[in-house]
Amino acid sequence: MEIVKVRPVIQMWLYKKDVEQLIGRKSTSAHNFLRDFEKFCRSRPNYFKPVKPFQSDSHSTTQYNYYAIVHFFENRELLMAGTRSINFKNDLERLKEAY
């Protein structure tokens, strides 16, 4: 018999202007950052499990997951290069403590 522990993951959502303040960039470079983030999420849809990286009703109301954005911001170059050595699940606890 195995005991399964279930812990809910609280998802915090950011709008584009919040992401701009978080990463300290103006709208043009933040737009490029978010475009790269969405492209990465679509190319590797299961990478950010157990959180949903972004949700969108329309382009103007896209919301981004806080932990996914921070993880991508810290490791952008490696993730865009296609490295498999970084794992979001393993980094999630550190992100919760650090942020």
Side-chain angles (χ1 to χ4, degrees):
M1 179 174 162
E2 291 184 35
I3 297 176
V4 177
K5 291 183 180 180
V6 177
R7 292 185 303 170
V9 176
I10 298 171
Q11 298 203 30
M12 298 186 303
W13 299 101
L14 303 170
Y15 289 102
K16 181 183 175 190
K17 63 182 174 95
D18 300 325
V19 173
E20 290 173 5
Q21 291 178 345
L22 179 69
I23 65 175
R25 295 188 180 170
K26 303 262 183 201
S27 63
T28 304
S29 62
H31 175 73
N32 293 339
F33 173 80
L34 293 174
R35 185 193 64 219
D36 290 344
F37 176 71
E38 290 179 16
K39 179 181 171 185
F40 175 78
C41 292
R42 286 188 174 93
S43 68
R44 294 178 63 186
N46 295 327
Y47 181 79
F48 288 107
K49 292 244 178 195
V51 300
K52 185 175 180 181
F54 66 94
Q55 60 185 6
S56 175
D57 293 332
S58 67
H59 186 61
S60 63
T61 60
T62 303
Q63 294 179 326
Y64 302 93
N65 182 280
Y66 182 80
Y67 297 122
I69 284 287
V70 170
H71 177 78
F72 186 75
F73 180 67
E74 291 178 353
N75 304 298
R76 180 180 180 185
E77 290 81 18
L78 294 172
L79 293 173
M80 292 303 289
T83 186
R84 302 270 182 188
S85 62
I86 300 172
N87 188 341
F88 178 72
K89 258 186 206 178
N90 296 340
D91 197 30
L92 187 58
E93 287 302 318
R94 183 194 66 81
L95 293 172
K96 287 180 183 179
E97 289 178 19
Y99 296 99

